[in-house]
Amino acid sequence: MECELDGLTVYYEIEGEGTPILMLHGMPCDHTHMLFEMERLFVHRAGWKRIYVDLPGMGRTSGAGWIQSNDDVLNVLE
């Protein structure tokens, strides 16, 4: 799925239903790393809606010139 924010296309995938939990990967990975590592932990844990996001400039999420700091990345996630 994609979400358009201030000219930035953010890619994400959602698994499950229930209380939302945002899954963030580290550098230089993308959402597939977290999806692979975390989904096996939720096989027997119902009630969680997992949201896997590609951070700006990684995976399927494009970068943007206005993203200059971690605070800017946090603003995208908010």
Side-chain angles (χ1 to χ4, degrees), residues 2 4 12 17 20 24 27 29-31 43 46 48 50 54 57-58 60 64 70-74 77:
E2 295 180 340
E4 188 72 28
Y12 65 97
E17 295 180 5
L24 300 175
M27 193 169 171
C29 301
D30 65 7
H31 80 280
V43 169
W48 293 96
R50 284 95 56 208
D54 277 345
M58 298 180 208
R60 295 183 185 176
N70 288 333
D71 287 339
D72 293 337
V73 173
L74 181 59
L77 295 172

Side-chain angles (χ1 to χ4, degrees), residues 1-62:
M1 303 174 90
E2 295 180 340
C3 178
E4 188 72 28
L5 302 168
D6 294 328
L8 176 68
T9 302
V10 177
Y11 182 83
Y12 65 97
E13 291 187 21
I14 296 176
E15 298 289 335
E17 295 180 5
T19 304
I21 182 170
L22 186 61
M23 301 294 202
L24 300 175
H25 61 82
M27 193 169 171
C29 301
D30 65 7
H31 80 280
T32 59
H33 173 75
M34 290 299 291
L35 192 71
F36 175 78
E37 294 295 332
M38 299 305 290
E39 278 307 297
R40 61 185 163 180
L41 302 175
F42 285 92
V43 169
H44 300 292
R45 290 181 175 91
W48 293 96
K49 179 180 184 177
R50 284 95 56 208
I51 305 165
Y52 296 91
V53 177
D54 277 345
L55 295 174
M58 298 180 208
R60 295 183 185 176
T61 297
S62 60

